[in-house]
Amino acid sequence: MEGTLTWLDLTSGDRSRMRRVLDLFNEPGTIDEMGLASLRDGFSEALFPGTSTIQTRLRYVLFVPWIYKRLEAAKTSSADVAAAGRRAETALIRPLRDSNEDGIIGTRAGASLARLPSSVYWYALARWGVFQHDRSRAWYHSNFGRLAGQNLSATVAADDPGVMDLHRPSWHPRLPTPPDDFPAGISFDLTQEEAEFVEGRIEERCAGTLLAHLASGVGKMVEGPPWAQPAARNSGPEVREVVELARRFSLHVEGVPLLYNLLLAERRHAINGSDDDEARIISYQGEISNWTEHEAEEGAFNPDELWVFAARHRVRVRALQRRFVESWSARIAEIVGATRSGSGRVGGDLQLRRLVAARERELKGRRSRLDDIARLLDWNGAAGVGRMNFRWHRVRALLNDLHRGLEA
């Protein structure tokens, strides 16, 4: 039987969380080899709510509601709105391409585009309050006629269990109006009015997050990761606490994929004696030593702070995941504490090697690269390496668009 995914019509947040999981398979540097994704994504959402790894440019959060408001005005039926929306969204591609813009969704696929901008940005629209119902795009389509002012007599009572008040406007009342010739001649440049609207939505709906502080322009952005930003240092204690824990966690677990890839390089070299794999062994040994030096400069990592964060932000932590992190942290503390730095010892530590190998087998079973020779031979030399940046490379692009608009 062919496997399928069934989408339940839950809140837009529920559906978007699953979308973001699937998107990770196509996002470089985010493959979750050691089962830490729920913690990484928990930090990402706490820092930058409403964002995802596949958002490209900020003005899409206006393009999408402009399209739907036009369809509402045209009294498009619920049966026709999905097809009409697709035509309107793919019609954005040509004018954006003509303006030589970067970050266009569908520039290659054209009308056959599988993931429409409305799908990519729906979670942001709901999370930031641009779309005023915390419901999915499918729910919006199903209720489109009533939400647009059609068949209001069929509207059910707002206090019925599980039913939203369909009299509430779909879109924020202060949503800026589109250019008269929209979508002709459009670009990703926000007007000052548009930028101020988006800034206001983020500040109101994401108050107390790093995203809100960065959106308001509290300190200019600088090169480097999110914790290097002036707004991170100048924010309130709650934000600083999350940013610091994210920074510390990202460094602490950076050694896990490095050790995992060292094990793969050694295993494959034992099979084929490749010079490339021998070079990888040397390279990963050096990277692990460098990482250990940086880790030794910090105080011992306390996983209890991580579990408090997870409980506060409703991040699901499985028992095996928790045990793995705690075992890693305890052993790293022993090694670093015993030698002041631990440089050169982490890569050869039998306890850590067994821990990482067991974790992969725990997650993948027979498909573990350490056991499946075919998968090992297909290994590209760098599986899941790199420090977590919690969507920062995407968020920074959105914020750059916002700040340019505010300064227009």
Side-chain angles (χ1 to χ4, degrees):
M1 179 181 294
E2 182 179 353
T4 61
L5 284 172
T6 301
W7 297 104
L8 301 177
D9 188 17
L10 304 175
T11 68
S12 70
D14 293 326
R15 291 167 60 87
S16 295
R17 278 189 287 274
M18 180 57 73
R19 284 292 192 189
R20 290 197 297 275
V21 170
L22 298 179
D23 291 337
L24 290 175
F25 289 101
N26 295 319
E27 181 67 17
T30 59
I31 302 301
D32 182 34
E33 296 287 352
M34 292 287 106
L36 299 174
S38 66
L39 291 166
R40 176 200 61 211
D41 295 346
F43 277 115
S44 299
E45 188 61 20
L47 294 167
F48 308 119
T51 63
S52 81
T53 59
I54 57 171
Q55 292 168 354
T56 57
R57 303 298 296 269
L58 188 59
R59 209 179 186 202
Y60 275 116
V61 302
L62 299 175
F63 292 160
V64 172
W66 287 344
I67 285 172
Y68 277 112
K69 281 181 69 70
R70 182 173 291 179
L71 294 177
E72 289 177 358
K75 300 188 182 302
T76 306
S77 69
S78 294
D80 296 331
V81 66
R86 164 173 281 280
R87 289 192 296 271
E89 290 187 60
T90 55
L92 298 172
I93 298 172
R94 183 184 294 274
L96 288 171
R97 187 189 295 155
D98 290 345
S99 64
N100 295 316
E101 297 277 5
D102 294 324
I104 303 170
I105 296 176
T107 187
R108 294 181 181 178
S112 63
L113 178 64
R115 180 67 65 82
L116 294 168
S118 58
S119 174
V120 173
Y121 285 86
W122 198 262
Y123 178 55
L125 292 170
R127 181 65 177 82
W128 298 349
V130 181
F131 181 68
Q132 297 200 101
H133 302 278
D134 185 20
R135 300 297 291 241
S136 67
R137 188 179 57 151
W139 177 88
Y140 176 51
H141 286 179
S142 297
N143 294 279
F144 192 80
R146 287 182 286 181
L147 287 165
Q150 303 176 55
N151 301 321
L152 287 178
S153 60
T155 301
V156 291
D159 57 356
D160 282 358
V163 176
M164 303 291 289
D165 180 5
L166 297 178
H167 287 289
R168 188 192 312 165
S170 299
W171 303 101
H172 195 280
R174 292 196 299 276
L175 177 74
T177 57
D180 292 338
D181 57 350
F182 175 77
I186 58 169
S187 73
F188 287 128
D189 295 333
L190 280 81
T191 66
Q192 188 175 60
E193 178 193 8
E194 293 166 2
E196 288 174 351
F197 169 76
V198 176
E199 178 192 22
R201 296 291 78 232
I202 293 174
E203 289 184 350
E204 178 181 324
R205 295 295 295 269
C206 306
T209 69
L210 182 57
L211 179 65
H213 283 274
L214 289 168
S216 66
V218 180
K220 295 292 184 180
M221 291 190 296
V222 298
E223 292 301 319
W227 39 85
Q229 305 308 309
R233 297 190 296 270
N234 299 330
S235 59
E238 186 174 323
V239 176
R240 291 200 304 271
E241 179 181 327
V242 174
V243 172
E244 172 56 21
L245 185 57
R247 182 200 69 81
R248 186 67 187 90
F249 175 69
S250 70
L251 172 62
H252 184 62
V253 298
E254 185 184 11
V256 176
L258 293 176
L259 180 54
Y260 170 61
N261 281 269
L262 174 61
L263 296 179
L264 295 181
E266 292 174 343
R267 177 79 170 117
R268 197 163 72 176
H269 183 261
I271 295 172
N272 60 23
S274 163
D275 290 342
D276 288 341
D277 287 327
E278 183 176 7
R280 290 188 179 103
I281 292 171
I282 295 171
S283 176
Y284 279 119
Q285 287 173 336
E287 288 188 54
I288 291 170
S289 292
N290 290 336
W291 168 80
T292 310
E293 293 285 354
H294 291 299
E295 179 70 13
E297 295 172 358
E298 308 274 348
F301 183 77
N302 181 5
D304 289 343
E305 297 177 8
L306 195 60
W307 313 141
V308 170
F309 164 83
R312 183 180 301 152
H313 292 271
R314 300 181 181 179
V315 178
R316 184 180 181 185
V317 179
R318 296 183 181 275
L320 293 176
Q321 181 188 50
R322 180 169 181 153
R323 185 180 67 185
F324 173 74
V325 172
E326 289 177 344
S327 298
W328 173 266
S329 300
R331 185 56 182 159
I332 291 298
E334 290 174 0
I335 293 174
V336 171
T339 64
R340 293 189 178 181
S341 73
S343 179
R345 288 195 57 202
V346 170
D349 186 77
L350 292 179
Q351 186 173 328
L352 289 176
R353 284 168 163 259
R354 293 191 189 104
L355 178 67
V356 170
R359 180 60 173 163
E360 196 209 17
R361 293 182 175 112
E362 191 174 78
L363 292 168
K364 302 174 187 174
R366 295 179 181 178
R367 291 182 56 78
S368 163
R369 287 191 181 95
L370 293 171
D371 299 318
D372 187 327
I373 300 302
R375 293 201 71 229
L376 177 64
L377 295 177
D378 286 340
W379 170 59
N380 66 5
V385 295
R387 191 168 177 182
M388 297 176 181
N389 68 12
F390 309 110
R391 308 176 191 159
W392 174 241
H393 59 303
R394 299 291 189 180
V395 173
R396 187 184 183 99
L398 302 180
L399 289 169
N400 281 334
D401 283 347
L402 178 65
H403 291 164
R404 280 193 293 267
L406 292 172
E407 296 169 359

